[in-house]
Amino acid sequence: MSSAGWKQDTDEPARNGKLLEAIRLALRAQQGQADVGSPELGKMLDSFSNMGFSTSQIMQLFSLQPKLAPQTWLMVVSELVLLGLDANSTLSILQKSPEVLRMTAQQLRHRAEYLRRLGLGEGSLQRVVNSYPGIFSLPWKKIDAVVQVFKKCLFTVAQVTEILRSCPSVLLEEPHDLEYKFQYAYFRMGVNHRAMVKSGLFRTPLAEIKNRHIFLERLGLYQTPDKKGQTQVVNPKLKEIIRVSQGDFLTQLAHSSLEEFTVFKKLLAREEEEVIASEETDSASNGEGERSDSK
């Protein structure tokens, strides 16, 4: 055996020994409880290594929540790895969403099964979890409420799955906000379900959609279709409106300057504020009238 190979073999136990001692001392200091036995902890560290975690990654894992029992770490990490996540993805998830560490193995399995039933199979599930790790700890009712909104809006099962794959952050939004965004695109802009999904509608803030749409409309470059779906102008596709940069939107579609668009957005915001104020005044007046009638 070469001297280089011999040195690598002898250095490995030394590194493992140092790692074991460092984590053992950290746990004892942080947990304020009985020392974790070296043999037991050593087996756990071997398990992490077998799952593909490097020495530095193992140290990072234990530094996230030092007071957490090592057995809990092993259970949570094992469940995430069984989902097909690699060491980097697992570490990233726990760093971004440490509340996952408070979940049981059964809770993690049930959540994974539920997401698969929504169509997030292998590969898709990993991508969603990587971009939004909080999906594991999000309340069941919150996920269900969002899914029900899409069903109410008559998106197909495949379309709902595609929305969740491409934009898992919709799970954080209020259901009524998602429904309003759909209604605006469907009734106000005349966009069909397929175009909404393909364009990434639900990844775009509603304010940006309205600003660009109404700007084009007032320039005579967009028109709400009539009952037969007809327009007197050729409307640009939704993805051409919302998927391009602001600069490309202004030069390629609106043929306007940034200054014009900036002024327009300020005026539109003022218009909307006036509408809201007027509605609040009308509501208050109606309330006063009802009280008077009751007297």
Side-chain angles (χ1 to χ4, degrees):
M1 180 181 294
S2 67
S3 60
W6 179 84
K7 188 177 187 301
Q8 182 178 0
D9 290 341
T10 55
D11 282 352
E12 190 65 29
R15 284 199 298 271
N16 289 343
K18 290 179 181 178
L19 173 62
L20 175 62
E21 182 63 14
I23 292 179
R24 187 179 65 81
L25 292 175
L27 291 173
R28 184 171 62 184
Q30 293 288 343
Q31 293 183 11
Q33 59 185 24
D35 190 12
V36 179
S38 293
E40 178 188 1
L41 186 56
K43 291 180 180 178
M44 292 182 184
L45 298 183
D46 287 341
S47 296
F48 286 133
S49 295
N50 292 335
M51 285 186 279
F53 289 86
S54 66
T55 297
S56 62
Q57 288 173 328
I58 294 173
M59 287 298 294
Q60 289 179 70
L61 280 175
F62 279 96
S63 68
L64 292 176
Q65 290 195 25
K67 294 185 178 181
L68 199 67
Q71 294 87 347
T72 302
W73 272 112
L74 185 59
M75 178 275 296
V76 172
V77 170
S78 296
E79 287 299 325
L80 293 176
V81 170
L82 285 173
L83 289 175
L85 300 170
D86 60 18
N88 282 329
S89 298
T90 298
L91 179 59
S92 177
I93 286 169
L94 296 176
Q95 287 172 329
K96 295 176 182 176
S97 188
E99 63 270 17
V100 173
L101 291 166
R102 295 193 291 272
M103 299 178 70
T104 66
Q106 186 176 34
Q107 288 174 324
L108 286 169
R109 289 188 204 114
H110 285 172
R111 179 55 55 89
E113 289 170 4
Y114 178 73
L115 294 173
R116 288 190 182 102
R117 288 200 299 272
L118 291 177
L120 300 176
E122 299 306 324
S124 298
L125 178 59
Q126 283 74 36
R127 286 194 295 274
V128 170
V129 171
N130 277 322
S131 59
Y132 177 51
I135 197 170
F136 276 112
S137 54
L138 200 66
W140 291 93
K141 290 183 179 180
K142 183 70 173 70
I143 297 177
D144 243 2
V146 169
V147 172
Q148 291 307 316
V149 163
F150 290 128
K151 289 182 177 179
K152 176 183 177 183
C153 295
L154 303 181
F155 285 98
T156 66
V157 173
Q159 288 171 336
V160 174
T161 299
E162 182 58 31
I163 292 171
L164 295 177
R165 284 175 181 165
S166 61
C167 185
S169 60
V170 295
L171 296 170
L172 293 174
E173 297 191 40
E174 291 299 323
H176 59 79
D177 290 339
L178 291 172
E179 185 172 0
Y180 180 72
K181 185 181 289 187
F182 162 78
Q183 291 175 342
Y184 185 88
Y186 189 77
F187 294 106
R188 186 73 174 76
M189 299 181 71
V191 179
N192 61 39
H193 293 72
R194 185 174 181 274
M196 289 184 208
V197 176
K198 295 298 181 183
S199 67
L201 172 75
F202 295 100
R203 295 200 300 268
T204 309
L206 178 62
E208 184 65 19
I209 296 169
K210 293 176 70 175
N211 283 336
R212 294 189 180 193
H213 163 241
I214 297 175
F215 189 54
L216 291 175
E217 189 176 55
R218 294 189 181 180
L219 289 171
L221 300 174
Y222 197 101
Q223 188 177 75
T224 302
D226 59 22
K227 293 181 179 180
K228 296 181 180 180
Q230 302 296 313
T231 59
Q232 294 179 353
V233 299
V234 179
N235 287 339
K237 295 179 180 179
L238 180 60
K239 67 179 181 180
E240 295 172 343
I241 298 174
I242 65 175
R243 289 288 292 276
V244 299
S245 67
Q246 180 173 268
D248 287 343
F249 166 75
L250 291 172
T251 58
Q252 297 174 12
L253 287 183
H255 307 295
S256 300
S257 67
L258 177 59
E259 291 74 18
E260 289 173 314
F261 191 43
T262 300
V263 171
F264 164 77
K265 287 190 289 185
K266 290 179 180 178
L267 292 174
L268 183 61
R270 188 181 303 168
E271 287 178 21
E272 293 184 340
E273 288 174 0
E274 291 174 354
V275 169
I276 292 173
S278 176
E279 290 176 348
E280 290 176 348
T281 300
D282 291 343
S283 177
S285 299
N286 290 337
E288 296 256 341
E290 289 174 1
R291 284 196 292 274
S292 299
D293 291 342
S294 64
K295 290 179 182 180

